[in-house]
Amino acid sequence: MAEQDGWSEKDWMRVVPETERALYLQSGFGERQPFGERPALIVIDVTLSFTGSRPQPVADAIREFPTACGEVAWEALPRIAQLLQLFRDRSWPVVFTRNDSLDQVFAGGATKRVRSRPSPPEGQKFPPGIDPLESEWVLEKAKASCFFATPLNSYLQMRKVDTVVVCGVSTSGCVRASVVDACSHGYTTYLVDDCCFDRSHFAHCANLFDISAKYASVVSLTELEALCVSRVSD
């Protein structure tokens, strides 16, 4: 099918051996689900802790914020802002997530990473252009998935959401965990690949491949825009 043929056109597919791509397609992985009638956008952890305060190589960025992802974050930010506007223009629900620093003291963090030093308090702030509106929920979470031990599922059900669109950071961590849980909760799930980022390019690409195969429809911002326009036109 056309969507499957599009796999090979994605930049992140280049790290995946062609033989493995062929095996996945032969087994029926990678089907794209129809875009639903009531979508919601979840912006995962796009805070200064992960973007840093300015564009710089990741080796420099982590001196300021240990979890920063460097320049790739700042490359993604304008596209995330564009994605936000796409949902706001249509009055579709938008949810932001960030770390719950207080709960993590008692419940542990999102990963088993050893924390040599705490992230500065200003890391909880959002970078320029990604500020939530007063009407938009900022969901604080202790663990990787935004669904784990949070009322997110209730929020989505109250709004009769059938499709969850995900972007943010990191592709291999909190984004992946949230996508898997969105799928497990029965939502049609879309991941916007060029609105996600990770400190590891290899992990970013490998996880997009696996997510696309099993849990979500992985599309570009341009592809998602076309889906939204088509849905409204129908």
Side-chain angles (χ1 to χ4, degrees):
M1 60 184 292
E3 289 86 357
Q4 290 182 331
D5 293 340
W7 267 19
S8 59
E9 299 171 4
K10 297 284 189 180
D11 288 342
W12 46 265
M13 292 300 304
R14 295 174 185 170
V15 306
V16 183
E18 288 187 17
T19 53
E20 294 184 16
R21 295 205 302 265
L23 285 172
Y24 270 62
L25 292 176
Q26 185 178 344
S27 299
F29 289 103
E31 293 282 348
R32 184 175 293 180
Q33 297 173 294
F35 198 74
E37 295 296 318
R38 300 181 69 90
L41 174 64
I42 303 179
V43 183
I44 304 291
D45 296 355
V46 183
T47 61
L48 293 181
S49 286
F50 293 97
T51 67
S53 63
R54 62 192 183 278
Q56 56 183 330
V58 64
D60 296 324
I62 62 176
R63 296 191 184 101
E64 180 184 22
F65 296 99
T67 54
C69 296
E71 293 168 317
V72 293
W74 290 85
E75 292 169 4
L77 287 180
R79 294 188 291 268
I80 295 172
Q82 190 174 339
L83 178 59
L84 277 167
Q85 196 59 49
L86 181 71
F87 273 70
R88 289 167 175 169
D89 287 345
R90 291 160 175 78
S91 298
W92 290 340
V94 174
V95 178
F96 290 79
T97 77
R98 64 184 176 190
N99 290 337
D100 188 328
S101 302
L102 177 60
D103 281 357
Q104 285 185 339
V105 171
F106 299 97
T111 70
K112 64 181 182 64
R113 180 178 66 89
V114 177
R115 287 161 172 76
S116 57
R117 57 188 173 91
S119 184
E122 58 269 25
Q124 290 288 75
K125 297 179 180 179
F126 295 93
I130 313 295
D131 296 305
L133 302 179
E134 288 187 6
S135 60
E136 293 169 346
W137 187 20
V138 178
L139 169 64
E140 297 192 337
K141 60 185 181 65
K143 299 298 182 178
S145 170
C146 56
F147 286 90
F148 183 83
T150 76
L152 177 59
N153 192 47
S154 296
Y155 171 91
L156 298 174
Q157 288 183 354
M158 286 176 59
R159 285 153 184 79
K160 296 181 170 56
V161 168
D162 59 14
T163 299
V164 170
V165 178
V166 179
C167 69
V169 59
S170 66
T171 314
S172 60
C174 294
V175 167
R176 180 191 174 93
S178 298
V179 164
V180 172
D181 276 1
C183 177
S184 298
H185 278 82
Y187 296 102
T188 295
T189 309
Y190 272 70
L191 180 62
V192 188
D193 55 12
D194 52 357
C195 292
C196 295
F197 55 96
D198 197 297
R199 64 190 58 82
S200 164
H201 177 67
F202 172 77
H204 174 75
C205 296
N207 277 274
L208 286 175
F209 170 70
D210 200 52
I211 289 169
S212 177
K214 301 171 184 174
Y215 305 112
S217 299
V218 178
V219 297
S220 67
L221 175 59
T222 299
E223 289 172 318
L224 187 74
E225 287 173 329
L227 285 168
C228 292
V229 170
S230 173
R231 198 198 71 81
V232 172
S233 299
D234 293 343

